[in-house]
Amino acid sequence: ERETDRVKRHVAAEAQRKADEAEARRNRKEARAKARAERYKAQKGERQRNHPRNKELWQEVTRLMVDIQKLEKEERQWNDALAEVKRMEVNRQPPRKVDLAPPQPTSSSGELLSSIDGAGVGLATSTLVQDVTLAAERVNWTLQRVSAAMVESDRLRAEAFDKYEYDGHKFYG
């Protein structure tokens, strides 16, 4: 009986040892499988991040964001220019009316008129008027160009925003 108890304990201990070894083997196998799955997941994520299509899309997103920043800066500058022009218009004093009617000729004014005609004042006056007219036309043309550029800037900004908003967040790997 003592012998049988010893044999039973030995058999039970041997069975426990085998069960413990099997459990340890299963745990090691599960740990290796888990490590392999994590490594595979990390590699897959790295491949997706480095996929050429995603890199191109991210580069496009950064270019679009830089373009948006440039457009916003340009818009601020145009708004500043517009405010400056409006301030100049408000502060502008209209010229006083000048009486351009010729004076009544007198005997002494006849001599003065003949000396003025000889000096070419009429030519100088017409040249000054033409210069002022040309400058006014240039300013008008420049303001029209600025206005057209502001409209185009707004259109491009809206287009870039729409493109970023709708196309910029679709990434495939």
Side-chain angles (χ1 to χ4, degrees):
E1 175 181 317
R2 202 172 180 188
E3 188 68 28
T4 58
D5 283 341
R6 214 170 81 186
V7 170
K8 286 181 185 178
R9 277 194 312 253
H10 179 66
V11 169
E14 189 65 27
Q16 183 63 36
R17 185 182 60 77
K18 286 183 181 180
D20 289 343
E21 285 178 4
E23 180 70 25
R25 245 189 333 268
R26 272 195 307 276
N27 287 342
R28 285 192 303 270
K29 189 175 181 180
E30 288 174 3
R32 283 193 308 268
K34 187 176 181 181
R36 192 171 39 252
E38 287 176 4
R39 196 169 49 248
Y40 174 76
K41 186 177 178 182
Q43 288 173 348
K44 184 177 179 182
E46 185 67 26
R47 279 194 307 267
Q48 283 181 339
R49 276 193 302 277
N50 289 332
H51 192 272
R53 178 165 167 77
N54 280 347
K55 278 188 174 182
E56 290 172 4
L57 289 173
W58 277 111
Q59 288 171 350
E60 183 179 356
V61 166
T62 56
R63 280 192 304 269
L64 286 172
M65 291 176 74
V66 167
D67 289 344
I68 287 172
Q69 289 174 348
K70 285 180 182 177
L71 288 172
E72 287 172 348
K73 181 180 178 184
E74 184 178 342
E75 181 182 18
R76 284 192 303 272
Q77 290 173 343
W78 284 120
N79 288 336
D80 291 345
L82 183 62
E84 182 71 25
V85 167
K86 285 182 179 177
R87 190 172 62 247
M88 290 174 79
E89 286 178 354
V90 168
N91 294 335
R92 183 179 69 85
Q93 296 289 330
R96 291 185 299 263
K97 297 213 176 214
V98 178
D99 184 21
L100 297 177
Q104 296 297 326
T106 60
S107 62
S108 63
S109 67
E111 295 171 8
L112 183 60
L113 285 176
S114 64
S115 68
I116 288 176
D117 287 339
V121 171
L123 179 63
T125 304
S126 66
T127 303
L128 287 174
V129 168
Q130 288 174 352
D131 288 347
V132 168
T133 304
L134 182 63
E137 288 175 355
R138 284 181 183 163
V139 167
N140 190 22
W141 179 83
T142 302
L143 289 176
Q144 287 174 350
R145 296 285 79 198
V146 165
S147 215
M150 287 176 66
V151 169
E152 181 66 15
S153 174
D154 286 342
R155 186 188 65 77
L156 288 175
R157 182 182 54 78
E159 182 181 309
F161 180 78
D162 289 343
K163 186 173 182 183
Y164 172 75
E165 182 77 17
Y166 298 112
D167 298 337
H169 297 292
K170 295 179 183 174
F171 299 106
Y172 304 100

